[in-house]
Amino acid sequence: MTCAALALTGALFAGCTGGTETSAAEEKAPQKNPIVTSSAPAESPAPPQTDARQQLKAINRAIPIYAGAKFRDDLTHRDAVMVRNQYGPQAEVYTLATDDSFPQVYHYYTTYLAQFRASPAKPPYPPDQDWRTLEVQLNQVMRDPFIPGDTFNTGDKQVTLQVVETEAEPKTVIRYIVTPPQASPQVAVGSSQ
């Protein structure tokens, strides 16, 4: 090819792009799900973020919360349906998750609860089995501590702790199921016949 033919070919290619060079790296691919900034009316504010630790400490400051666990709003919404079906419409659930192993989390809770005389003795490490779970009614167990401190009153909201090992990520799920205080049993007064 001659110099004139090369120049003509270069001019044709330059004419295709409007006389400017481009590269594929400069072009941006469209986003599949772009983030919508504010199409909702200003009257409906975003729902407030739940601070599970603060909510649980408001019930009773002695409730143990695993330090490595993070509140998971997505898991909480998923668990809420199951919890309300099982525990009633006023039941609330706070689901935390951690990538720490079940034995680590189990050891933390059993060690913490061992300071209460009402807590039945459990082995320091969970038994070796395929699926591991721990369920504790904190109001029943957290009474009469060996070391003076906070205890649950019988009139407090009922809190059930569930620790579950999972197959997927996160490795361990921690649920705090909060139900209204149990009503004291009413003694029926009747006449003897």
Side-chain angles (χ1 to χ4, degrees), residues 72-90:
R72 292 279 304 266
D73 195 38
D74 58 331
L75 296 177
T76 299
H77 285 300
R78 184 199 68 191
D79 293 341
V81 174
M82 178 223 20
V83 166
R84 288 190 181 115
N85 285 338
Q86 186 175 357
Y87 293 91
Q90 284 95 17

Side-chain angles (χ1 to χ4, degrees), residues 10-162:
L12 289 174
F13 286 126
C16 294
T17 60
T20 60
E21 287 188 31
T22 62
S23 72
E26 290 177 8
E27 295 186 24
K28 295 181 181 175
Q31 294 180 348
K32 291 183 180 179
N33 295 319
I35 298 173
V36 179
T37 51
S38 179
S39 64
E43 298 168 2
S44 61
Q49 292 292 333
T50 304
D51 185 359
R53 293 176 191 274
Q54 211 172 35
Q55 297 287 335
L56 292 169
K57 293 299 181 185
I59 295 169
N60 191 308
R61 64 184 189 168
I63 293 176
I65 300 173
Y66 188 71
K70 303 267 188 267
F71 175 73
R72 292 279 304 266
D73 195 38
D74 58 331
L75 296 177
T76 299
H77 285 300
R78 184 199 68 191
D79 293 341
V81 174
M82 178 223 20
V83 166
R84 288 190 181 115
N85 285 338
Q86 186 175 357
Y87 293 91
Q90 284 95 17
E92 301 172 30
V93 63
Y94 301 100
T95 305
L96 286 74
T98 180
D99 284 328
D100 291 344
S101 69
F102 179 82
Q104 286 175 288
V105 179
Y106 176 94
H107 183 74
Y108 166 77
Y109 284 108
T110 55
T111 303
Y112 181 86
L113 295 173
Q115 69 176 321
F116 297 95
R117 289 183 179 92
S119 178
K122 292 192 181 295
Y125 295 100
D128 188 26
Q129 58 191 28
D130 292 339
W131 287 97
R132 296 182 275 202
T133 62
L134 171 68
E135 185 169 327
V136 178
Q137 181 60 255
L138 294 179
N139 297 66
Q140 307 305 318
V141 173
M142 293 178 64
R143 293 181 285 129
D144 195 17
F146 287 106
I147 302 167
D150 297 320
T151 61
F152 266 98
N153 295 327
T154 54
D156 287 344
K157 291 182 177 181
Q158 301 293 306
V159 180
T160 302
L161 168 71
Q162 292 180 345

